[in-house]
Amino acid sequence: MKEGFRQSMAWLHTWSGLLVGWVLFMVFAAGTASYFKDEITFWMKPELHAVAQAQVPPLQAAEGAVAYLQKHGASSPRWFINLPTERQPSTDVLYLATPTSGAAPGDKPRRRFDRASLDPATGEALSAARVTRGGEFFYRLHFDLHYMPALWARWIVGFCAMLMLVAIFSGIVTHKRIFKDFFTFRPKKGQRSWLDAHNATAVLALPYHLMITYTGLVTLMFMYMPWGPQVAYKDRGGEQAFFSEAFPGTGRDQVKASGNKVPLAPIAPMIAQASAHWNGAAVGRITVHQPNDANAVVAITRAEGPQISYEKPSMMFNGTTGALIGAFGDVPKSAAQTRGVLYGLHIGRFGDPLLRALFFLSGLAGCLMVATGLLLWAVKERQKFAKTLKQGGRVSFGLRLVDGLNLGAIAGLPVAMAAFFWANRLLPVGIAERGEAEIRWFFIVWGAAAVLGLLRPTLRMWQAQLAAGALLFALLPALNAFTGPTPLTVSLRSGPTAVAGFDLVTIALGLGLAGAVWIVERKRRKSIAARQQQAEKKAPPSPQSALAASGQGS
């Protein structure tokens, strides 16, 4: 501690950010995209663009969804119905399909969730709509990762988020002039320029960085710290009893089937009663437990609105008689409301388009903060090898590895994200497992970019990958115009903020990546000029220059 407390925090700040920086960059990028996940999904289903023109009453959409589920999912133990919104024009249903036989004799039958997008006006499936995970893929990627058990992924992301908090607080302590540095940027100064960029992007959205990291941990608090409910409710039914008491009416209680078939009561009176109870507020989600059974229960949840809290009021009805069982969440308990507000702040669904755009820009600042921090470490470390490089030596394996990981994560991820959108439009609409095929192309492109970055972590490779990302993003509006089933003008009328907004953002991202290509090219030329100048100094003088120097050249 001879250097003092502030200086000692620099080591902690550096390593807590570096060790998990590549995962954090992906989490920030995918989470930032998730603020507009509904708009992304809408863009990736161009067949729905014309559907958005229709204005259908919620009662009609709900009745059409129930009719569809009675036909295709009557044996499912649970139905989920998401009614249309301004951001999502179709009615989306989710249900457990009929169980299939096991893969081998003796295996238990397996059930899978089936999804369908319905036309709100007719209740019929939009069969022409392509299957895609859309923006939901980025939302799940930022905390569930992919190709690994969700439990492991959430522990990994939680560990990275905790180190992110450590890096933020240690960075605040380390930078004595943190707010002054925000207004300072010195271009073309090498390491100083990278540090200025890191400081500016960090301070620009510092409250957001603190909020989003802490609230991200809160969203999974019961997984990371389950001991309180386990101990307090040990003799009262365990964690399930805790959730039933803390979050009543959320559907956490398991409704068991009686085995007696009873028709489901009409859904329209239940929706009307729920909406009237909420002073005319719209209904957002309908969950039917054990449909067509004597024990059927219908849970209706209020639609998202300007309220920050993620916990929305709900009402439960007897599924066979339509009688009200209870209303929940109108006056939530303090602890549940606190968690709901923190959860709501993290996902940002309460905000209007302008506020979500501000969250989006803050998320981009977070991406730049992580990226400049990773690059700053490499720049500082390379200075230690300056003498070795001048003598024709090579950098250490660790620095070369960091250079490759930086290239694959920072430059490769945008290429993969753009490739995901291109795959959505270029893959045949009717292929099996189409949504997974789009995701596979995302990881194939990202994996290729990462391998190339590790093999050749050069400025040329940085240019190539950044240029590829710029080109793919900038051309997405043209791809949308030529591959959509409806003309671009119709798409703009049916969803102006969704389609046109998506296209404008992709153009802006393409221009930003193109600007990064120009910066790298300028640095590459500067590096070449420096090497040439150094080589000229080392080269022996020519006979003509020697004569001129001695005064005998004339």
PDB file of all heavy atoms in Angstrom, residues 490-522:
ATOM      1  N   VAL A 490     -45.371   0.341 -48.107  1.00  0.00           N
ATOM      2  CA  VAL A 490     -46.378  -0.285 -47.251  1.00  0.00           C
ATOM      3  C   VAL A 490     -45.786  -0.582 -45.880  1.00  0.00           C
ATOM      4  O   VAL A 490     -46.405  -0.391 -44.844  1.00  0.00           O
ATOM      5  CB  VAL A 490     -46.928  -1.573 -47.899  1.00  0.00           C
ATOM      6  CG1 VAL A 490     -47.874  -2.298 -46.938  1.00  0.00           C
ATOM      7  CG2 VAL A 490     -47.649  -1.255 -49.200  1.00  0.00           C
ATOM      8  N   SER A 491     -44.535  -1.060 -45.871  1.00  0.00           N
ATOM      9  CA  SER A 491     -43.878  -1.357 -44.604  1.00  0.00           C
ATOM     10  C   SER A 491     -43.755  -0.100 -43.753  1.00  0.00           C
ATOM     11  O   SER A 491     -43.936  -0.144 -42.541  1.00  0.00           O
ATOM     12  CB  SER A 491     -42.492  -1.955 -44.854  1.00  0.00           C
ATOM     13  OG  SER A 491     -42.610  -3.195 -45.509  1.00  0.00           O
ATOM     14  N   LEU A 492     -43.488   1.013 -44.399  1.00  0.00           N
ATOM     15  CA  LEU A 492     -43.334   2.248 -43.640  1.00  0.00           C
ATOM     16  C   LEU A 492     -44.672   2.709 -43.073  1.00  0.00           C
ATOM     17  O   LEU A 492     -44.742   3.228 -41.968  1.00  0.00           O
ATOM     18  CB  LEU A 492     -42.733   3.333 -44.531  1.00  0.00           C
ATOM     19  CG  LEU A 492     -41.270   3.125 -44.935  1.00  0.00           C
ATOM     20  CD1 LEU A 492     -40.850   4.202 -45.922  1.00  0.00           C
ATOM     21  CD2 LEU A 492     -40.361   3.141 -43.730  1.00  0.00           C
ATOM     22  N   ARG A 493     -45.749   2.487 -43.820  1.00  0.00           N
ATOM     23  CA  ARG A 493     -47.058   2.877 -43.305  1.00  0.00           C
ATOM     24  C   ARG A 493     -47.500   1.949 -42.176  1.00  0.00           C
ATOM     25  O   ARG A 493     -48.123   2.371 -41.222  1.00  0.00           O
ATOM     26  CB  ARG A 493     -48.096   2.838 -44.430  1.00  0.00           C
ATOM     27  CG  ARG A 493     -47.954   3.919 -45.459  1.00  0.00           C
ATOM     28  CD  ARG A 493     -49.256   4.103 -46.222  1.00  0.00           C
ATOM     29  NE  ARG A 493     -49.725   2.839 -46.787  1.00  0.00           N
ATOM     30  CZ  ARG A 493     -49.396   2.378 -47.985  1.00  0.00           C
ATOM     31  NH1 ARG A 493     -48.572   3.081 -48.737  1.00  0.00           N
ATOM     32  NH2 ARG A 493     -49.868   1.244 -48.448  1.00  0.00           N
ATOM     33  N   SER A 494     -47.161   0.660 -42.305  1.00  0.00           N
ATOM     34  CA  SER A 494     -47.650  -0.304 -41.335  1.00  0.00           C
ATOM     35  C   SER A 494     -46.849  -0.286 -40.049  1.00  0.00           C
ATOM     36  O   SER A 494     -47.324  -0.700 -39.013  1.00  0.00           O
ATOM     37  CB  SER A 494     -47.623  -1.718 -41.929  1.00  0.00           C
ATOM     38  OG  SER A 494     -46.303  -2.066 -42.294  1.00  0.00           O
ATOM     39  N   GLY A 495     -45.646   0.129 -40.110  1.00  0.00           N
ATOM     40  CA  GLY A 495     -44.851   0.174 -38.891  1.00  0.00           C
ATOM     41  C   GLY A 495     -43.742   1.177 -39.017  1.00  0.00           C
ATOM     42  O   GLY A 495     -42.576   0.822 -39.061  1.00  0.00           O
ATOM     43  N   PRO A 496     -44.056   2.471 -39.157  1.00  0.00           N
ATOM     44  CA  PRO A 496     -43.032   3.472 -39.477  1.00  0.00           C
ATOM     45  C   PRO A 496     -41.916   3.531 -38.457  1.00  0.00           C
ATOM     46  O   PRO A 496     -40.753   3.593 -38.827  1.00  0.00           O
ATOM     47  CB  PRO A 496     -43.826   4.784 -39.536  1.00  0.00           C
ATOM     48  CG  PRO A 496     -45.090   4.520 -38.780  1.00  0.00           C
ATOM     49  CD  PRO A 496     -45.376   3.078 -38.970  1.00  0.00           C
ATOM     50  N   THR A 497     -42.252   3.502 -37.178  1.00  0.00           N
ATOM     51  CA  THR A 497     -41.200   3.615 -36.179  1.00  0.00           C
ATOM     52  C   THR A 497     -40.384   2.338 -36.086  1.00  0.00           C
ATOM     53  O   THR A 497     -39.209   2.376 -35.757  1.00  0.00           O
ATOM     54  CB  THR A 497     -41.801   3.941 -34.811  1.00  0.00           C
ATOM     55  OG1 THR A 497     -42.755   2.941 -34.451  1.00  0.00           O
ATOM     56  CG2 THR A 497     -42.481   5.302 -34.836  1.00  0.00           C
ATOM     57  N   ALA A 498     -41.005   1.192 -36.350  1.00  0.00           N
ATOM     58  CA  ALA A 498     -40.306  -0.078 -36.219  1.00  0.00           C
ATOM     59  C   ALA A 498     -39.397  -0.334 -37.411  1.00  0.00           C
ATOM     60  O   ALA A 498     -38.200  -0.579 -37.265  1.00  0.00           O
ATOM     61  CB  ALA A 498     -41.314  -1.220 -36.065  1.00  0.00           C
ATOM     62  N   VAL A 499     -39.958  -0.286 -38.615  1.00  0.00           N
ATOM     63  CA  VAL A 499     -39.189  -0.634 -39.808  1.00  0.00           C
ATOM     64  C   VAL A 499     -38.207   0.475 -40.175  1.00  0.00           C
ATOM     65  O   VAL A 499     -37.001   0.225 -40.328  1.00  0.00           O
ATOM     66  CB  VAL A 499     -40.129  -0.936 -40.995  1.00  0.00           C
ATOM     67  CG1 VAL A 499     -39.327  -1.250 -42.248  1.00  0.00           C
ATOM     68  CG2 VAL A 499     -41.047  -2.103 -40.654  1.00  0.00           C
ATOM     69  N   ALA A 500     -38.712   1.701 -40.314  1.00  0.00           N
ATOM     70  CA  ALA A 500     -37.827   2.803 -40.682  1.00  0.00           C
ATOM     71  C   ALA A 500     -36.804   3.064 -39.586  1.00  0.00           C
ATOM     72  O   ALA A 500     -35.635   3.356 -39.874  1.00  0.00           O
ATOM     73  CB  ALA A 500     -38.647   4.065 -40.956  1.00  0.00           C
ATOM     74  N   GLY A 501     -37.228   2.965 -38.323  1.00  0.00           N
ATOM     75  CA  GLY A 501     -36.284   3.158 -37.219  1.00  0.00           C
ATOM     76  C   GLY A 501     -35.181   2.121 -37.225  1.00  0.00           C
ATOM     77  O   GLY A 501     -34.002   2.447 -37.025  1.00  0.00           O
ATOM     78  N   PHE A 502     -35.539   0.860 -37.478  1.00  0.00           N
ATOM     79  CA  PHE A 502     -34.531  -0.200 -37.559  1.00  0.00           C
ATOM     80  C   PHE A 502     -33.545   0.101 -38.677  1.00  0.00           C
ATOM     81  O   PHE A 502     -32.312  -0.013 -38.490  1.00  0.00           O
ATOM     82  CB  PHE A 502     -35.221  -1.542 -37.798  1.00  0.00           C
ATOM     83  CG  PHE A 502     -34.290  -2.719 -37.852  1.00  0.00           C
ATOM     84  CD1 PHE A 502     -34.053  -3.500 -36.736  1.00  0.00           C
ATOM     85  CD2 PHE A 502     -33.636  -3.057 -39.030  1.00  0.00           C
ATOM     86  CE1 PHE A 502     -33.192  -4.577 -36.772  1.00  0.00           C
ATOM     87  CE2 PHE A 502     -32.773  -4.135 -39.090  1.00  0.00           C
ATOM     88  CZ  PHE A 502     -32.552  -4.903 -37.959  1.00  0.00           C
ATOM     89  N   ASP A 503     -34.063   0.471 -39.842  1.00  0.00           N
ATOM     90  CA  ASP A 503     -33.177   0.745 -40.980  1.00  0.00           C
ATOM     91  C   ASP A 503     -32.243   1.918 -40.694  1.00  0.00           C
ATOM     92  O   ASP A 503     -31.048   1.883 -41.040  1.00  0.00           O
ATOM     93  CB  ASP A 503     -34.003   1.026 -42.227  1.00  0.00           C
ATOM     94  CG  ASP A 503     -34.690  -0.227 -42.762  1.00  0.00           C
ATOM     95  OD1 ASP A 503     -34.302  -1.334 -42.348  1.00  0.00           O
ATOM     96  OD2 ASP A 503     -35.620  -0.093 -43.579  1.00  0.00           O
ATOM     97  N   LEU A 504     -32.759   2.964 -40.063  1.00  0.00           N
ATOM     98  CA  LEU A 504     -31.915   4.125 -39.763  1.00  0.00           C
ATOM     99  C   LEU A 504     -30.813   3.775 -38.765  1.00  0.00           C
ATOM    100  O   LEU A 504     -29.673   4.235 -38.887  1.00  0.00           O
ATOM    101  CB  LEU A 504     -32.780   5.265 -39.225  1.00  0.00           C
ATOM    102  CG  LEU A 504     -33.719   5.943 -40.237  1.00  0.00           C
ATOM    103  CD1 LEU A 504     -34.617   6.946 -39.532  1.00  0.00           C
ATOM    104  CD2 LEU A 504     -32.908   6.623 -41.347  1.00  0.00           C
ATOM    105  N   VAL A 505     -31.154   2.951 -37.768  1.00  0.00           N
ATOM    106  CA  VAL A 505     -30.148   2.556 -36.784  1.00  0.00           C
ATOM    107  C   VAL A 505     -29.057   1.712 -37.435  1.00  0.00           C
ATOM    108  O   VAL A 505     -27.857   1.878 -37.148  1.00  0.00           O
ATOM    109  CB  VAL A 505     -30.807   1.793 -35.617  1.00  0.00           C
ATOM    110  CG1 VAL A 505     -29.750   1.139 -34.726  1.00  0.00           C
ATOM    111  CG2 VAL A 505     -31.658   2.734 -34.779  1.00  0.00           C
ATOM    112  N   THR A 506     -29.445   0.804 -38.325  1.00  0.00           N
ATOM    113  CA  THR A 506     -28.422  -0.025 -38.979  1.00  0.00           C
ATOM    114  C   THR A 506     -27.511   0.818 -39.866  1.00  0.00           C
ATOM    115  O   THR A 506     -26.307   0.557 -39.953  1.00  0.00           O
ATOM    116  CB  THR A 506     -29.080  -1.138 -39.808  1.00  0.00           C
ATOM    117  OG1 THR A 506     -29.950  -0.574 -40.794  1.00  0.00           O
ATOM    118  CG2 THR A 506     -29.872  -2.078 -38.913  1.00  0.00           C
ATOM    119  N   ILE A 507     -28.072   1.829 -40.524  1.00  0.00           N
ATOM    120  CA  ILE A 507     -27.228   2.723 -41.323  1.00  0.00           C
ATOM    121  C   ILE A 507     -26.251   3.469 -40.416  1.00  0.00           C
ATOM    122  O   ILE A 507     -25.059   3.604 -40.731  1.00  0.00           O
ATOM    123  CB  ILE A 507     -28.105   3.709 -42.118  1.00  0.00           C
ATOM    124  CG1 ILE A 507     -28.885   2.976 -43.207  1.00  0.00           C
ATOM    125  CG2 ILE A 507     -27.246   4.805 -42.740  1.00  0.00           C
ATOM    126  CD1 ILE A 507     -29.883   3.850 -43.943  1.00  0.00           C
ATOM    127  N   ALA A 508     -26.740   3.958 -39.268  1.00  0.00           N
ATOM    128  CA  ALA A 508     -25.867   4.664 -38.336  1.00  0.00           C
ATOM    129  C   ALA A 508     -24.763   3.741 -37.817  1.00  0.00           C
ATOM    130  O   ALA A 508     -23.595   4.157 -37.713  1.00  0.00           O
ATOM    131  CB  ALA A 508     -26.688   5.219 -37.171  1.00  0.00           C
ATOM    132  N   LEU A 509     -25.112   2.492 -37.500  1.00  0.00           N
ATOM    133  CA  LEU A 509     -24.090   1.547 -37.043  1.00  0.00           C
ATOM    134  C   LEU A 509     -23.075   1.274 -38.147  1.00  0.00           C
ATOM    135  O   LEU A 509     -21.868   1.166 -37.889  1.00  0.00           O
ATOM    136  CB  LEU A 509     -24.751   0.241 -36.606  1.00  0.00           C
ATOM    137  CG  LEU A 509     -25.588   0.303 -35.318  1.00  0.00           C
ATOM    138  CD1 LEU A 509     -26.302  -1.016 -35.081  1.00  0.00           C
ATOM    139  CD2 LEU A 509     -24.711   0.647 -34.116  1.00  0.00           C
ATOM    140  N   GLY A 510     -23.557   1.162 -39.384  1.00  0.00           N
ATOM    141  CA  GLY A 510     -22.629   0.952 -40.502  1.00  0.00           C
ATOM    142  C   GLY A 510     -21.668   2.114 -40.665  1.00  0.00           C
ATOM    143  O   GLY A 510     -20.466   1.915 -40.890  1.00  0.00           O
ATOM    144  N   LEU A 511     -22.190   3.337 -40.536  1.00  0.00           N
ATOM    145  CA  LEU A 511     -21.328   4.510 -40.648  1.00  0.00           C
ATOM    146  C   LEU A 511     -20.328   4.566 -39.496  1.00  0.00           C
ATOM    147  O   LEU A 511     -19.161   4.952 -39.687  1.00  0.00           O
ATOM    148  CB  LEU A 511     -22.175   5.785 -40.674  1.00  0.00           C
ATOM    149  CG  LEU A 511     -23.050   5.992 -41.914  1.00  0.00           C
ATOM    150  CD1 LEU A 511     -23.923   7.229 -41.760  1.00  0.00           C
ATOM    151  CD2 LEU A 511     -22.181   6.092 -43.175  1.00  0.00           C
ATOM    152  N   GLY A 512     -20.778   4.196 -38.294  1.00  0.00           N
ATOM    153  CA  GLY A 512     -19.861   4.177 -37.161  1.00  0.00           C
ATOM    154  C   GLY A 512     -18.730   3.185 -37.351  1.00  0.00           C
ATOM    155  O   GLY A 512     -17.564   3.500 -37.066  1.00  0.00           O
ATOM    156  N   LEU A 513     -19.051   1.993 -37.853  1.00  0.00           N
ATOM    157  CA  LEU A 513     -18.004   1.005 -38.116  1.00  0.00           C
ATOM    158  C   LEU A 513     -17.097   1.458 -39.257  1.00  0.00           C
ATOM    159  O   LEU A 513     -15.882   1.201 -39.227  1.00  0.00           O
ATOM    160  CB  LEU A 513     -18.643  -0.343 -38.443  1.00  0.00           C
ATOM    161  CG  LEU A 513     -19.377  -1.029 -37.279  1.00  0.00           C
ATOM    162  CD1 LEU A 513     -20.147  -2.249 -37.767  1.00  0.00           C
ATOM    163  CD2 LEU A 513     -18.384  -1.443 -36.186  1.00  0.00           C
ATOM    164  N   ALA A 514     -17.664   2.121 -40.251  1.00  0.00           N
ATOM    165  CA  ALA A 514     -16.830   2.654 -41.339  1.00  0.00           C
ATOM    166  C   ALA A 514     -15.865   3.715 -40.807  1.00  0.00           C
ATOM    167  O   ALA A 514     -14.699   3.785 -41.234  1.00  0.00           O
ATOM    168  CB  ALA A 514     -17.712   3.241 -42.440  1.00  0.00           C
ATOM    169  N   GLY A 515     -16.339   4.539 -39.866  1.00  0.00           N
ATOM    170  CA  GLY A 515     -15.432   5.503 -39.239  1.00  0.00           C
ATOM    171  C   GLY A 515     -14.306   4.811 -38.486  1.00  0.00           C
ATOM    172  O   GLY A 515     -13.161   5.282 -38.497  1.00  0.00           O
ATOM    173  N   ALA A 516     -14.611   3.683 -37.848  1.00  0.00           N
ATOM    174  CA  ALA A 516     -13.557   2.928 -37.161  1.00  0.00           C
ATOM    175  C   ALA A 516     -12.539   2.379 -38.155  1.00  0.00           C
ATOM    176  O   ALA A 516     -11.334   2.331 -37.867  1.00  0.00           O
ATOM    177  CB  ALA A 516     -14.187   1.786 -36.353  1.00  0.00           C
ATOM    178  N   VAL A 517     -13.015   1.967 -39.337  1.00  0.00           N
ATOM    179  CA  VAL A 517     -12.080   1.496 -40.379  1.00  0.00           C
ATOM    180  C   VAL A 517     -11.124   2.618 -40.773  1.00  0.00           C
ATOM    181  O   VAL A 517      -9.911   2.401 -40.933  1.00  0.00           O
ATOM    182  CB  VAL A 517     -12.866   1.005 -41.620  1.00  0.00           C
ATOM    183  CG1 VAL A 517     -11.908   0.670 -42.760  1.00  0.00           C
ATOM    184  CG2 VAL A 517     -13.703  -0.211 -41.263  1.00  0.00           C
ATOM    185  N   TRP A 518     -11.645   3.824 -40.911  1.00  0.00           N
ATOM    186  CA  TRP A 518     -10.792   4.970 -41.282  1.00  0.00           C
ATOM    187  C   TRP A 518      -9.764   5.255 -40.195  1.00  0.00           C
ATOM    188  O   TRP A 518      -8.597   5.545 -40.495  1.00  0.00           O
ATOM    189  CB  TRP A 518     -11.682   6.188 -41.518  1.00  0.00           C
ATOM    190  CG  TRP A 518     -10.903   7.439 -41.809  1.00  0.00           C
ATOM    191  CD1 TRP A 518     -10.290   7.785 -42.978  1.00  0.00           C
ATOM    192  CD2 TRP A 518     -10.649   8.511 -40.886  1.00  0.00           C
ATOM    193  NE1 TRP A 518      -9.670   9.008 -42.848  1.00  0.00           N
ATOM    194  CE2 TRP A 518      -9.870   9.476 -41.581  1.00  0.00           C
ATOM    195  CE3 TRP A 518     -10.995   8.758 -39.572  1.00  0.00           C
ATOM    196  CZ2 TRP A 518      -9.450  10.655 -40.981  1.00  0.00           C
ATOM    197  CZ3 TRP A 518     -10.572   9.939 -38.978  1.00  0.00           C
ATOM    198  CH2 TRP A 518      -9.818  10.866 -39.671  1.00  0.00           C
ATOM    199  N   ILE A 519     -10.162   5.151 -38.930  1.00  0.00           N
ATOM    200  CA  ILE A 519      -9.224   5.384 -37.822  1.00  0.00           C
ATOM    201  C   ILE A 519      -8.114   4.343 -37.838  1.00  0.00           C
ATOM    202  O   ILE A 519      -6.928   4.664 -37.656  1.00  0.00           O
ATOM    203  CB  ILE A 519      -9.983   5.355 -36.480  1.00  0.00           C
ATOM    204  CG1 ILE A 519     -10.928   6.564 -36.384  1.00  0.00           C
ATOM    205  CG2 ILE A 519      -9.008   5.352 -35.311  1.00  0.00           C
ATOM    206  CD1 ILE A 519     -11.819   6.537 -35.171  1.00  0.00           C
ATOM    207  N   VAL A 520      -8.480   3.079 -38.064  1.00  0.00           N
ATOM    208  CA  VAL A 520      -7.468   2.013 -38.107  1.00  0.00           C
ATOM    209  C   VAL A 520      -6.526   2.224 -39.282  1.00  0.00           C
ATOM    210  O   VAL A 520      -5.309   2.005 -39.162  1.00  0.00           O
ATOM    211  CB  VAL A 520      -8.154   0.633 -38.187  1.00  0.00           C
ATOM    212  CG1 VAL A 520      -7.115  -0.462 -38.394  1.00  0.00           C
ATOM    213  CG2 VAL A 520      -8.951   0.361 -36.917  1.00  0.00           C
ATOM    214  N   GLU A 521      -7.073   2.645 -40.439  1.00  0.00           N
ATOM    215  CA  GLU A 521      -6.218   2.874 -41.610  1.00  0.00           C
ATOM    216  C   GLU A 521      -5.228   4.006 -41.345  1.00  0.00           C
ATOM    217  O   GLU A 521      -4.045   3.906 -41.725  1.00  0.00           O
ATOM    218  CB  GLU A 521      -7.086   3.208 -42.815  1.00  0.00           C
ATOM    219  CG  GLU A 521      -6.326   3.624 -44.064  1.00  0.00           C
ATOM    220  CD  GLU A 521      -5.414   2.536 -44.599  1.00  0.00           C
ATOM    221  OE1 GLU A 521      -5.593   1.357 -44.222  1.00  0.00           O
ATOM    222  OE2 GLU A 521      -4.502   2.869 -45.393  1.00  0.00           O
ATOM    223  N   ARG A 522      -5.677   5.054 -40.683  1.00  0.00           N
ATOM    224  CA  ARG A 522      -4.774   6.162 -40.356  1.00  0.00           C
ATOM    225  C   ARG A 522      -3.661   5.688 -39.412  1.00  0.00           C
ATOM    226  O   ARG A 522      -2.488   6.044 -39.575  1.00  0.00           O
ATOM    227  CB  ARG A 522      -5.572   7.286 -39.710  1.00  0.00           C
ATOM    228  CG  ARG A 522      -4.788   8.583 -39.532  1.00  0.00           C
ATOM    229  CD  ARG A 522      -5.653   9.656 -38.933  1.00  0.00           C
ATOM    230  NE  ARG A 522      -6.121   9.289 -37.598  1.00  0.00           N
ATOM    231  CZ  ARG A 522      -6.931  10.042 -36.867  1.00  0.00           C
ATOM    232  NH1 ARG A 522      -7.391  11.177 -37.361  1.00  0.00           N
ATOM    233  NH2 ARG A 522      -7.292   9.656 -35.679  1.00  0.00           N
TER     234      ARG A 522
END
